[in-house]
PDB file of all heavy atoms in Angstrom:
ATOM      1  N   ASN H  74     106.083  83.857 106.999  1.00 90.00           N
ATOM      2  CA  ASN H  74     104.835  83.732 106.265  1.00 90.00           C
ATOM      3  C   ASN H  74     104.878  82.403 105.521  1.00 90.00           C
ATOM      4  O   ASN H  74     105.502  82.305 104.439  1.00 90.00           O
ATOM      5  CB  ASN H  74     104.647  84.902 105.321  1.00 90.00           C
ATOM      6  CG  ASN H  74     103.282  84.911 104.667  1.00 90.00           C
ATOM      7  OD1 ASN H  74     102.704  83.879 104.370  1.00 90.00           O
ATOM      8  ND2 ASN H  74     102.742  86.105 104.459  1.00 90.00           N
ATOM      9  N   LEU H  75     104.295  81.384 106.078  1.00 92.00           N
ATOM     10  CA  LEU H  75     104.388  80.049 105.515  1.00 92.00           C
ATOM     11  C   LEU H  75     103.654  79.976 104.159  1.00 92.00           C
ATOM     12  O   LEU H  75     104.052  79.156 103.307  1.00 92.00           O
ATOM     13  CB  LEU H  75     103.805  79.007 106.470  1.00 92.00           C
ATOM     14  CG  LEU H  75     104.636  78.707 107.739  1.00 92.00           C
ATOM     15  CD1 LEU H  75     104.050  77.541 108.520  1.00 92.00           C
ATOM     16  CD2 LEU H  75     106.078  78.433 107.398  1.00 92.00           C
ATOM     17  N   ARG H  76     102.653  80.792 103.948  1.00 92.00           N
ATOM     18  CA  ARG H  76     101.978  80.810 102.634  1.00 92.00           C
ATOM     19  C   ARG H  76     102.941  81.253 101.564  1.00 92.00           C
ATOM     20  O   ARG H  76     102.937  80.711 100.459  1.00 92.00           O
ATOM     21  CB  ARG H  76     100.734  81.710 102.719  1.00 92.00           C
ATOM     22  CG  ARG H  76      99.614  81.136 103.531  1.00 92.00           C
ATOM     23  CD  ARG H  76      98.361  81.975 103.389  1.00 92.00           C
ATOM     24  NE  ARG H  76      97.218  81.428 104.113  1.00 92.00           N
ATOM     25  CZ  ARG H  76      95.996  81.953 104.115  1.00 92.00           C
ATOM     26  NH1 ARG H  76      95.775  83.044 103.400  1.00 92.00           N
ATOM     27  NH2 ARG H  76      95.023  81.365 104.785  1.00 92.00           N
ATOM     28  N   GLU H  77     103.736  82.236 101.886  1.00 91.00           N
ATOM     29  CA  GLU H  77     104.722  82.663 100.911  1.00 91.00           C
ATOM     30  C   GLU H  77     105.763  81.615 100.655  1.00 91.00           C
ATOM     31  O   GLU H  77     106.218  81.408  99.534  1.00 91.00           O
ATOM     32  CB  GLU H  77     105.386  83.971 101.341  1.00 91.00           C
ATOM     33  CG  GLU H  77     104.458  85.205 101.377  1.00 91.00           C
ATOM     34  CD  GLU H  77     105.199  86.472 101.820  1.00 91.00           C
ATOM     35  OE1 GLU H  77     106.417  86.371 102.119  1.00 91.00           O
ATOM     36  OE2 GLU H  77     104.560  87.539 101.777  1.00 91.00           O
ATOM     37  N   GLN H  78     106.151  80.887 101.699  1.00 92.00           N
ATOM     38  CA  GLN H  78     107.119  79.822 101.557  1.00 92.00           C
ATOM     39  C   GLN H  78     106.553  78.677 100.686  1.00 92.00           C
ATOM     40  O   GLN H  78     107.223  78.042  99.946  1.00 92.00           O
ATOM     41  CB  GLN H  78     107.576  79.307 102.891  1.00 92.00           C
ATOM     42  CG  GLN H  78     108.524  80.225 103.643  1.00 92.00           C
ATOM     43  CD  GLN H  78     109.146  79.566 104.864  1.00 92.00           C
ATOM     44  OE1 GLN H  78     108.678  79.726 105.970  1.00 92.00           O
ATOM     45  NE2 GLN H  78     110.209  78.821 104.613  1.00 92.00           N
ATOM     46  N   VAL H  79     105.236  78.426 100.920  1.00 93.00           N
ATOM     47  CA  VAL H  79     104.566  77.400 100.056  1.00 93.00           C
ATOM     48  C   VAL H  79     104.599  77.838  98.622  1.00 93.00           C
ATOM     49  O   VAL H  79     104.907  77.039  97.706  1.00 93.00           O
ATOM     50  CB  VAL H  79     103.125  77.187 100.537  1.00 93.00           C
ATOM     51  CG1 VAL H  79     102.359  76.363  99.525  1.00 93.00           C
ATOM     52  CG2 VAL H  79     103.081  76.511 101.900  1.00 93.00           C
ATOM     53  N   ALA H  80     104.279  79.133  98.345  1.00 92.00           N
ATOM     54  CA  ALA H  80     104.297  79.609  96.992  1.00 92.00           C
ATOM     55  C   ALA H  80     105.662  79.522  96.322  1.00 92.00           C
ATOM     56  O   ALA H  80     105.775  79.303  95.167  1.00 92.00           O
ATOM     57  CB  ALA H  80     103.768  81.051  96.972  1.00 92.00           C
ATOM     58  N   SER H  81     106.731  79.748  97.159  1.00 91.00           N
ATOM     59  CA  SER H  81     108.068  79.701  96.613  1.00 91.00           C
ATOM     60  C   SER H  81     108.644  78.289  96.550  1.00 91.00           C
ATOM     61  O   SER H  81     109.744  78.080  96.050  1.00 91.00           O
ATOM     62  CB  SER H  81     108.998  80.577  97.469  1.00 91.00           C
ATOM     63  OG  SER H  81     109.163  80.030  98.765  1.00 91.00           O
ATOM     64  N   GLY H  82     107.942  77.308  97.096  1.00 92.00           N
ATOM     65  CA  GLY H  82     108.391  75.925  97.070  1.00 92.00           C
ATOM     66  C   GLY H  82     109.293  75.566  98.250  1.00 92.00           C
ATOM     67  O   GLY H  82     109.798  74.471  98.295  1.00 92.00           O
ATOM     68  N   ALA H  83     109.434  76.491  99.199  1.00 91.00           N
ATOM     69  CA  ALA H  83     110.311  76.207 100.348  1.00 91.00           C
ATOM     70  C   ALA H  83     109.611  75.421 101.462  1.00 91.00           C
ATOM     71  O   ALA H  83     110.240  74.918 102.370  1.00 91.00           O
ATOM     72  CB  ALA H  83     110.856  77.530 100.924  1.00 91.00           C
ATOM     73  N   PHE H  84     108.260  75.342 101.369  1.00 94.00           N
ATOM     74  CA  PHE H  84     107.518  74.648 102.388  1.00 94.00           C
ATOM     75  C   PHE H  84     106.372  73.860 101.683  1.00 94.00           C
ATOM     76  O   PHE H  84     105.725  74.398 100.805  1.00 94.00           O
ATOM     77  CB  PHE H  84     106.936  75.562 103.444  1.00 94.00           C
ATOM     78  CG  PHE H  84     106.619  74.935 104.717  1.00 94.00           C
ATOM     79  CD1 PHE H  84     107.547  74.741 105.720  1.00 94.00           C
ATOM     80  CD2 PHE H  84     105.315  74.512 104.997  1.00 94.00           C
ATOM     81  CE1 PHE H  84     107.265  74.173 106.889  1.00 94.00           C
ATOM     82  CE2 PHE H  84     104.974  73.906 106.214  1.00 94.00           C
ATOM     83  CZ  PHE H  84     105.950  73.742 107.170  1.00 94.00           C
ATOM     84  N   ARG H  85     106.154  72.625 102.113  1.00 95.00           N
ATOM     85  CA  ARG H  85     105.139  71.803 101.490  1.00 95.00           C
ATOM     86  C   ARG H  85     103.716  72.312 101.793  1.00 95.00           C
ATOM     87  O   ARG H  85     103.389  72.583 102.956  1.00 95.00           O
ATOM     88  CB  ARG H  85     105.251  70.372 101.971  1.00 95.00           C
ATOM     89  CG  ARG H  85     106.524  69.647 101.544  1.00 95.00           C
ATOM     90  CD  ARG H  85     106.506  68.193 102.125  1.00 95.00           C
ATOM     91  NE  ARG H  85     105.400  67.429 101.623  1.00 95.00           N
ATOM     92  CZ  ARG H  85     105.511  66.509 100.684  1.00 95.00           C
ATOM     93  NH1 ARG H  85     106.691  66.187 100.167  1.00 95.00           N
ATOM     94  NH2 ARG H  85     104.448  65.826 100.280  1.00 95.00           N
ATOM     95  N   ALA H  86     102.923  72.421 100.765  1.00 95.00           N
ATOM     96  CA  ALA H  86     101.542  72.909 100.915  1.00 95.00           C
ATOM     97  C   ALA H  86     100.722  71.953 101.779  1.00 95.00           C
ATOM     98  O   ALA H  86      99.933  72.384 102.655  1.00 95.00           O
ATOM     99  CB  ALA H  86     100.856  73.117  99.589  1.00 95.00           C
ATOM    100  N   ASP H  87     100.884  70.608 101.571  1.00 95.00           N
ATOM    101  CA  ASP H  87     100.105  69.662 102.348  1.00 95.00           C
ATOM    102  C   ASP H  87     100.474  69.693 103.806  1.00 95.00           C
ATOM    103  O   ASP H  87      99.621  69.536 104.708  1.00 95.00           O
ATOM    104  CB  ASP H  87     100.197  68.266 101.771  1.00 95.00           C
ATOM    105  CG  ASP H  87     101.661  67.875 101.413  1.00 95.00           C
ATOM    106  OD1 ASP H  87     102.570  68.639 101.773  1.00 95.00           O
ATOM    107  OD2 ASP H  87     101.848  66.803 100.775  1.00 95.00           O
ATOM    108  N   LEU H  88     101.771  69.879 104.133  1.00 95.00           N
ATOM    109  CA  LEU H  88     102.155  69.963 105.515  1.00 95.00           C
ATOM    110  C   LEU H  88     101.653  71.288 106.148  1.00 95.00           C
ATOM    111  O   LEU H  88     101.200  71.275 107.307  1.00 95.00           O
ATOM    112  CB  LEU H  88     103.698  69.917 105.660  1.00 95.00           C
ATOM    113  CG  LEU H  88     104.262  70.093 107.052  1.00 95.00           C
ATOM    114  CD1 LEU H  88     103.731  68.992 107.959  1.00 95.00           C
ATOM    115  CD2 LEU H  88     105.765  70.050 107.036  1.00 95.00           C
ATOM    116  N   TYR H  89     101.650  72.341 105.379  1.00 95.00           N
ATOM    117  CA  TYR H  89     101.164  73.636 105.872  1.00 95.00           C
ATOM    118  C   TYR H  89      99.676  73.499 106.302  1.00 95.00           C
ATOM    119  O   TYR H  89      99.283  73.934 107.393  1.00 95.00           O
ATOM    120  CB  TYR H  89     101.323  74.702 104.827  1.00 95.00           C
ATOM    121  CG  TYR H  89     100.494  75.949 105.137  1.00 95.00           C
ATOM    122  CD1 TYR H  89     100.873  76.820 106.181  1.00 95.00           C
ATOM    123  CD2 TYR H  89      99.375  76.307 104.415  1.00 95.00           C
ATOM    124  CE1 TYR H  89     100.122  77.954 106.492  1.00 95.00           C
ATOM    125  CE2 TYR H  89      98.632  77.439 104.703  1.00 95.00           C
ATOM    126  CZ  TYR H  89      99.018  78.269 105.724  1.00 95.00           C
ATOM    127  OH  TYR H  89      98.285  79.360 106.063  1.00 95.00           O
ATOM    128  N   HIS H  90      98.901  72.852 105.438  1.00 95.00           N
ATOM    129  CA  HIS H  90      97.469  72.698 105.762  1.00 95.00           C
ATOM    130  C   HIS H  90      97.272  71.755 106.936  1.00 95.00           C
ATOM    131  O   HIS H  90      96.329  71.973 107.752  1.00 95.00           O
ATOM    132  CB  HIS H  90      96.732  72.181 104.545  1.00 95.00           C
ATOM    133  CG  HIS H  90      96.692  73.146 103.395  1.00 95.00           C
ATOM    134  ND1 HIS H  90      96.148  74.409 103.537  1.00 95.00           N
ATOM    135  CD2 HIS H  90      97.119  73.068 102.127  1.00 95.00           C
ATOM    136  CE1 HIS H  90      96.257  75.095 102.379  1.00 95.00           C
ATOM    137  NE2 HIS H  90      96.847  74.303 101.506  1.00 95.00           N
ATOM    138  N   ARG H  91      98.141  70.760 107.080  1.00 94.00           N
ATOM    139  CA  ARG H  91      98.026  69.823 108.220  1.00 94.00           C
ATOM    140  C   ARG H  91      98.364  70.556 109.550  1.00 94.00           C
ATOM    141  O   ARG H  91      97.745  70.315 110.578  1.00 94.00           O
ATOM    142  CB  ARG H  91      98.921  68.626 107.998  1.00 94.00           C
ATOM    143  CG  ARG H  91      98.966  67.601 109.111  1.00 94.00           C
ATOM    144  CD  ARG H  91      97.624  66.852 109.213  1.00 94.00           C
ATOM    145  NE  ARG H  91      97.297  66.063 108.051  1.00 94.00           N
ATOM    146  CZ  ARG H  91      96.313  65.160 108.048  1.00 94.00           C
ATOM    147  NH1 ARG H  91      95.583  64.986 109.116  1.00 94.00           N
ATOM    148  NH2 ARG H  91      96.056  64.465 106.944  1.00 94.00           N
ATOM    149  N   LEU H  92      99.421  71.367 109.536  1.00 94.00           N
ATOM    150  CA  LEU H  92      99.867  72.062 110.744  1.00 94.00           C
ATOM    151  C   LEU H  92      98.913  73.185 111.144  1.00 94.00           C
ATOM    152  O   LEU H  92      98.735  73.501 112.330  1.00 94.00           O
ATOM    153  CB  LEU H  92     101.287  72.628 110.559  1.00 94.00           C
ATOM    154  CG  LEU H  92     102.419  71.639 110.525  1.00 94.00           C
ATOM    155  CD1 LEU H  92     103.692  72.357 110.171  1.00 94.00           C
ATOM    156  CD2 LEU H  92     102.570  70.923 111.867  1.00 94.00           C
ATOM    157  N   SER H  93      98.315  73.837 110.153  1.00 92.00           N
ATOM    158  CA  SER H  93      97.492  75.073 110.397  1.00 92.00           C
ATOM    159  C   SER H  93      96.010  74.727 110.521  1.00 92.00           C
ATOM    160  O   SER H  93      95.178  75.555 110.135  1.00 92.00           O
ATOM    161  CB  SER H  93      97.758  76.101 109.317  1.00 92.00           C
ATOM    162  OG  SER H  93      97.380  75.601 108.039  1.00 92.00           O
ATOM    163  N   VAL H  94      95.710  73.530 111.047  1.00 92.00           N
ATOM    164  CA  VAL H  94      94.309  73.224 111.294  1.00 92.00           C
ATOM    165  C   VAL H  94      93.667  74.289 112.177  1.00 92.00           C
ATOM    166  O   VAL H  94      92.556  74.721 111.999  1.00 92.00           O
ATOM    167  CB  VAL H  94      94.175  71.805 111.976  1.00 92.00           C
ATOM    168  CG1 VAL H  94      92.735  71.580 112.413  1.00 92.00           C
ATOM    169  CG2 VAL H  94      94.626  70.757 111.014  1.00 92.00           C
ATOM    170  N   TYR H  95      94.455  74.770 113.143  1.00 93.00           N
ATOM    171  CA  TYR H  95      93.981  75.846 114.023  1.00 93.00           C
ATOM    172  C   TYR H  95      95.093  76.886 114.180  1.00 93.00           C
ATOM    173  O   TYR H  95      95.917  76.807 115.126  1.00 93.00           O
ATOM    174  CB  TYR H  95      93.517  75.326 115.410  1.00 93.00           C
ATOM    175  CG  TYR H  95      92.607  76.310 116.082  1.00 93.00           C
ATOM    176  CD1 TYR H  95      91.237  76.160 116.051  1.00 93.00           C
ATOM    177  CD2 TYR H  95      93.133  77.403 116.765  1.00 93.00           C
ATOM    178  CE1 TYR H  95      90.386  77.049 116.658  1.00 93.00           C
ATOM    179  CE2 TYR H  95      92.290  78.362 117.360  1.00 93.00           C
ATOM    180  CZ  TYR H  95      90.917  78.137 117.329  1.00 93.00           C
ATOM    181  OH  TYR H  95      90.076  79.069 117.933  1.00 93.00           O
ATOM    182  N   PRO H  96      95.158  77.858 113.257  1.00 95.00           N
ATOM    183  CA  PRO H  96      96.182  78.917 113.422  1.00 95.00           C
ATOM    184  C   PRO H  96      95.789  79.906 114.501  1.00 95.00           C
ATOM    185  O   PRO H  96      94.635  80.316 114.627  1.00 95.00           O
ATOM    186  CB  PRO H  96      96.189  79.554 112.049  1.00 95.00           C
ATOM    187  CG  PRO H  96      94.804  79.337 111.500  1.00 95.00           C
ATOM    188  CD  PRO H  96      94.334  78.036 112.082  1.00 95.00           C
ATOM    189  N   VAL H  97      96.770  80.331 115.319  1.00 95.00           N
ATOM    190  CA  VAL H  97      96.537  81.305 116.399  1.00 95.00           C
ATOM    191  C   VAL H  97      97.526  82.427 116.260  1.00 95.00           C
ATOM    192  O   VAL H  97      98.686  82.305 116.567  1.00 95.00           O
ATOM    193  CB  VAL H  97      96.705  80.618 117.770  1.00 95.00           C
ATOM    194  CG1 VAL H  97      96.489  81.660 118.895  1.00 95.00           C
ATOM    195  CG2 VAL H  97      95.748  79.487 117.933  1.00 95.00           C
ATOM    196  N   PRO H  98      97.062  83.613 115.753  1.00 96.00           N
ATOM    197  CA  PRO H  98      97.959  84.735 115.716  1.00 96.00           C
ATOM    198  C   PRO H  98      98.149  85.349 117.076  1.00 96.00           C
ATOM    199  O   PRO H  98      97.183  85.567 117.860  1.00 96.00           O
ATOM    200  CB  PRO H  98      97.180  85.752 114.787  1.00 96.00           C
ATOM    201  CG  PRO H  98      96.017  84.977 114.202  1.00 96.00           C
ATOM    202  CD  PRO H  98      95.732  83.891 115.127  1.00 96.00           C
ATOM    203  N   ILE H  99      99.417  85.640 117.439  1.00 96.00           N
ATOM    204  CA  ILE H  99      99.718  86.260 118.735  1.00 96.00           C
ATOM    205  C   ILE H  99      99.996  87.754 118.490  1.00 96.00           C
ATOM    206  O   ILE H  99     100.838  88.104 117.687  1.00 96.00           O
ATOM    207  CB  ILE H  99     100.971  85.587 119.339  1.00 96.00           C
ATOM    208  CG1 ILE H  99     100.673  84.102 119.617  1.00 96.00           C
ATOM    209  CG2 ILE H  99     101.349  86.270 120.631  1.00 96.00           C
ATOM    210  CD1 ILE H  99     101.844  83.345 120.098  1.00 96.00           C
ATOM    211  N   PRO H 100      99.251  88.631 119.143  1.00 95.00           N
ATOM    212  CA  PRO H 100      99.392  90.059 118.882  1.00 95.00           C
ATOM    213  C   PRO H 100     100.761  90.551 119.247  1.00 95.00           C
ATOM    214  O   PRO H 100     101.324  90.174 120.289  1.00 95.00           O
ATOM    215  CB  PRO H 100      98.286  90.707 119.731  1.00 95.00           C
ATOM    216  CG  PRO H 100      98.048  89.721 120.814  1.00 95.00           C
ATOM    217  CD  PRO H 100      98.276  88.366 120.219  1.00 95.00           C
ATOM    218  N   PRO H 101     101.341  91.469 118.447  1.00 95.00           N
ATOM    219  CA  PRO H 101     102.611  92.084 118.834  1.00 95.00           C
ATOM    220  C   PRO H 101     102.377  93.026 120.020  1.00 95.00           C
ATOM    221  O   PRO H 101     101.259  93.449 120.288  1.00 95.00           O
ATOM    222  CB  PRO H 101     103.018  92.844 117.578  1.00 95.00           C
ATOM    223  CG  PRO H 101     101.744  93.116 116.856  1.00 95.00           C
ATOM    224  CD  PRO H 101     100.831  91.965 117.146  1.00 95.00           C
ATOM    225  N   LEU H 102     103.455  93.368 120.684  1.00 96.00           N
ATOM    226  CA  LEU H 102     103.390  94.203 121.881  1.00 96.00           C
ATOM    227  C   LEU H 102     102.811  95.573 121.590  1.00 96.00           C
ATOM    228  O   LEU H 102     102.087  96.122 122.460  1.00 96.00           O
ATOM    229  CB  LEU H 102     104.797  94.336 122.513  1.00 96.00           C
ATOM    230  CG  LEU H 102     104.920  95.089 123.846  1.00 96.00           C
ATOM    231  CD1 LEU H 102     103.959  94.491 124.882  1.00 96.00           C
ATOM    232  CD2 LEU H 102     106.324  95.092 124.315  1.00 96.00           C
ATOM    233  N   ARG H 103     103.040  96.120 120.399  1.00 94.00           N
ATOM    234  CA  ARG H 103     102.554  97.455 120.102  1.00 94.00           C
ATOM    235  C   ARG H 103     101.032  97.479 120.006  1.00 94.00           C
ATOM    236  O   ARG H 103     100.410  98.565 120.033  1.00 94.00           O
ATOM    237  CB  ARG H 103     103.120  97.953 118.807  1.00 94.00           C
ATOM    238  CG  ARG H 103     102.806  97.091 117.585  1.00 94.00           C
ATOM    239  CD  ARG H 103     103.513  97.605 116.318  1.00 94.00           C
ATOM    240  NE  ARG H 103     103.436  96.657 115.269  1.00 94.00           N
ATOM    241  CZ  ARG H 103     104.262  95.627 115.065  1.00 94.00           C
ATOM    242  NH1 ARG H 103     105.286  95.469 115.905  1.00 94.00           N
ATOM    243  NH2 ARG H 103     104.103  94.795 114.064  1.00 94.00           N
ATOM    244  N   GLU H 104     100.369  96.325 119.936  1.00 95.00           N
ATOM    245  CA  GLU H 104      98.904  96.264 119.882  1.00 95.00           C
ATOM    246  C   GLU H 104      98.281  95.899 121.187  1.00 95.00           C
ATOM    247  O   GLU H 104      97.082  95.672 121.295  1.00 95.00           O
ATOM    248  CB  GLU H 104      98.476  95.226 118.827  1.00 95.00           C
ATOM    249  CG  GLU H 104      98.854  95.600 117.396  1.00 95.00           C
ATOM    250  CD  GLU H 104      98.451  94.529 116.392  1.00 95.00           C
ATOM    251  OE1 GLU H 104      97.781  93.542 116.807  1.00 95.00           O
ATOM    252  OE2 GLU H 104      98.787  94.664 115.199  1.00 95.00           O
ATOM    253  N   ARG H 105      99.093  95.913 122.264  1.00 95.00           N
ATOM    254  CA  ARG H 105      98.615  95.486 123.593  1.00 95.00           C
ATOM    255  C   ARG H 105      98.509  96.600 124.582  1.00 95.00           C
ATOM    256  O   ARG H 105      98.324  96.412 125.782  1.00 95.00           O
ATOM    257  CB  ARG H 105      99.499  94.333 124.156  1.00 95.00           C
ATOM    258  CG  ARG H 105      99.346  93.055 123.394  1.00 95.00           C
ATOM    259  CD  ARG H 105     100.321  92.007 123.858  1.00 95.00           C
ATOM    260  NE  ARG H 105     100.239  91.773 125.317  1.00 95.00           N
ATOM    261  CZ  ARG H 105     101.004  90.949 125.986  1.00 95.00           C
ATOM    262  NH1 ARG H 105     101.920  90.204 125.304  1.00 95.00           N
ATOM    263  NH2 ARG H 105     100.873  90.765 127.272  1.00 95.00           N
ATOM    264  N   GLY H 106      98.563  97.868 124.096  1.00 93.00           N
ATOM    265  CA  GLY H 106      98.266  99.017 124.993  1.00 93.00           C
ATOM    266  C   GLY H 106      99.129  99.079 126.228  1.00 93.00           C
ATOM    267  O   GLY H 106     100.366  98.986 126.172  1.00 93.00           O
ATOM    268  N   ASN H 107      98.458  99.215 127.389  1.00 93.00           N
ATOM    269  CA  ASN H 107      99.174  99.391 128.650  1.00 93.00           C
ATOM    270  C   ASN H 107      99.900  98.127 129.122  1.00 93.00           C
ATOM    271  O   ASN H 107     100.570  98.168 130.175  1.00 93.00           O
ATOM    272  CB  ASN H 107      98.187  99.876 129.714  1.00 93.00           C
ATOM    273  CG  ASN H 107      97.968 101.379 129.683  1.00 93.00           C
ATOM    274  OD1 ASN H 107      98.902 102.133 129.328  1.00 93.00           O
ATOM    275  ND2 ASN H 107      96.785 101.801 130.057  1.00 93.00           N
ATOM    276  N   ASP H 108      99.747  97.010 128.424  1.00 95.00           N
ATOM    277  CA  ASP H 108     100.474  95.824 128.783  1.00 95.00           C
ATOM    278  C   ASP H 108     101.956  96.062 128.812  1.00 95.00           C
ATOM    279  O   ASP H 108     102.720  95.431 129.567  1.00 95.00           O
ATOM    280  CB  ASP H 108     100.163  94.666 127.829  1.00 95.00           C
ATOM    281  CG  ASP H 108      98.861  94.041 128.128  1.00 95.00           C
ATOM    282  OD1 ASP H 108      98.154  94.471 129.067  1.00 95.00           O
ATOM    283  OD2 ASP H 108      98.472  93.049 127.423  1.00 95.00           O
TER     284      ASP H 108
END
């Protein structure tokens, strides 16, 4: 969770915003049914 890392100072907020211009969550297997 990069937001938590930003809050704790372990990750730069400006870099987080630059990298997450387009965040894409990948669903876990348990949410993919018969897959």
